Amino acid sequence: MKFKRIYIEITNICNLICTFCHKNTRTPQFMSINSFNHIIQQIKPYSSYIYLHVQGEPLLHPNLDEILNICDKENIQVQLVTNGTLIIKHMHIYKHPSLRKISFSLHSIDQQTLDALEYYLPIDTFINNATNKYIELRFWNRNDMKEKSKIIYEYINNKYTLHPTKKVDSFQLNSNIYLYFQDEFEWPSVASNDDHNGYCYAAKNMLAILVDGQVSICCLDAHGDINLGNIFSQDLSKILNSNKYQEILNDFSKNKCHEELCQKCTYRKRFNS
């Protein structure tokens, strides 16, 4: 089995408290370098593309360069998802060959006390330097943008010509920069939905590994509700051969949601035909 991507949560600690983000209820921690290296060795047969994302702000990790060095060495491609507030301390990371794409959640500015351009201009400087990387600029709700997001959007719109792509509400700004609007989603652990039928790319195309080593099928599993096993005490191959994982896959193939978290999730409805 091959996965299109595997999410690795190198920390569940964030420097912001955003209303749209699920409050962390797990023990706050940073993943050690040894633990990260162990995970990379385990996942290499299954994927060469990772996202440094589930919860937490990856730019907070004190050993981020060492983490990227491991990925450089192992030919692992990395997408990094960040709120962008700490990019001024990491202006050099575009030099890592493993870093393929960095996504900036620009809507986080509306949760901050910073001036909009004071927040965005360091990101703009990074983008100007990182011409060899894919850059994704993310906003919530195009038709209901908040004031600070509007200021940043106007700055971007004045700097670039926005070319629509085939993807809805997605625009190409130049050869490596994209802007994307998305409707704000509801975290499945707090959703009121209860639908046992449906399909998702989770389990088949992606996995998530939380900072404590717990393996889940879903990048929105903020509490670790779907516990397939722990990669620090079990080989990933055994986890993927477990009855629980196989039942989840089998049920999805029948348009059924095996797990309670999946039954509550509204985000997966985007994939339903």
Side-chain angles (χ1 to χ4, degrees), residues 3-257:
F3 298 98
K4 289 186 176 180
R5 56 190 177 273
I6 295 178
Y7 292 80
I8 303 178
E9 183 187 68
I10 59 174
T11 182
N12 58 354
I13 302 169
C14 190
N15 60 322
L16 298 180
I17 303 175
C18 298
T19 56
F20 58 77
C21 219
H22 203 294
K23 184 178 179 181
N24 179 42
T25 59
R26 294 174 283 125
T27 302
Q29 59 182 298
F30 293 104
M31 185 178 288
S32 72
I33 293 300
N34 286 341
S35 294
F36 181 79
N37 187 57
H38 173 80
I39 290 172
I40 292 300
Q41 300 309 316
Q42 287 282 305
I43 70 168
K44 277 175 63 177
Y46 301 99
S47 184
S48 60
Y49 194 19
I50 65 172
Y51 280 51
L52 298 184
H53 185 52
V54 174
Q55 285 196 292
E57 170 51 56
L59 296 188
L60 270 178
H61 201 291
N63 305 116
L64 179 61
D65 273 306
E66 292 179 64
I67 285 170
L68 292 175
N69 284 339
I70 291 171
C71 296
D72 295 341
K73 179 182 177 182
E74 300 294 345
N75 295 316
I76 298 292
Q77 296 186 65
V78 178
Q79 174 166 335
L80 193 152
V81 181
T82 174
N83 60 43
T85 56
L86 302 173
I87 196 64
I88 197 167
K89 297 180 179 180
H90 297 278
M91 286 293 188
H92 64 284
I93 60 171
Y94 69 88
K95 297 178 182 179
H96 283 278
S98 59
L99 184 62
R100 179 179 183 271
K101 182 178 180 181
I102 182 164
S103 297
F104 292 98
S105 298
L106 299 182
H107 45 267
S108 65
I109 183 57
D110 295 301
Q111 309 287 324
Q112 303 177 47
T113 58
L114 275 178
D115 172 82
L117 291 183
E118 183 183 356
Y119 159 74
Y120 182 70
L121 288 178
I123 296 173
D124 190 54
T125 299
F126 177 85
I127 293 170
N128 291 338
N129 292 327
T131 55
N132 61 334
K133 306 299 178 184
Y134 287 107
I135 305 292
E136 183 179 59
L137 306 175
R138 298 178 174 180
F139 287 104
W140 286 140
N141 306 328
R142 186 181 186 188
N143 297 321
D144 189 28
M145 295 179 73
K146 296 182 180 178
E147 191 59 33
K148 289 184 179 181
S149 286
K150 285 181 181 178
I151 292 171
I152 296 173
Y153 172 67
E154 288 170 5
Y155 179 92
I156 294 169
N157 195 32
N158 287 331
K159 182 173 180 177
Y160 301 99
T161 300
L162 277 59
H163 302 282
T165 71
K166 294 179 180 179
K167 197 173 183 180
V168 176
D169 282 334
S170 176
F171 302 86
Q172 186 169 7
L173 310 187
N174 68 16
S175 60
N176 68 311
I177 307 173
Y178 294 83
L179 185 148
Y180 181 45
F181 292 97
Q182 187 177 45
D183 291 336
E184 189 171 343
F185 63 84
E186 188 176 31
W187 287 81
S189 53
V190 296
S192 58
N193 184 59
D194 186 16
D195 187 353
H196 292 238
N197 296 318
Y199 177 78
C200 184
Y201 292 128
K204 182 178 180 181
N205 289 350
M206 69 182 80
L207 287 178
I209 302 171
L210 303 185
V211 67
D212 63 356
Q214 182 177 311
V215 179
S216 175
I217 64 168
C218 179
C219 63
L220 298 182
D221 189 0
H223 295 311
D225 293 318
I226 305 174
N227 188 352
L228 300 176
N230 194 295
I231 201 167
F232 298 144
S233 58
Q234 299 167 269
D235 286 343
L236 184 58
S237 59
K238 292 184 178 179
I239 292 173
L240 297 178
N241 281 315
S242 67
N243 289 336
K244 182 173 182 176
Y245 176 73
Q246 294 299 325
E247 287 170 358
I248 291 171
L249 269 183
N250 186 52
D251 277 1
F252 272 148
S253 71
K254 298 175 181 176
N255 204 46
K256 295 180 180 179
C257 297

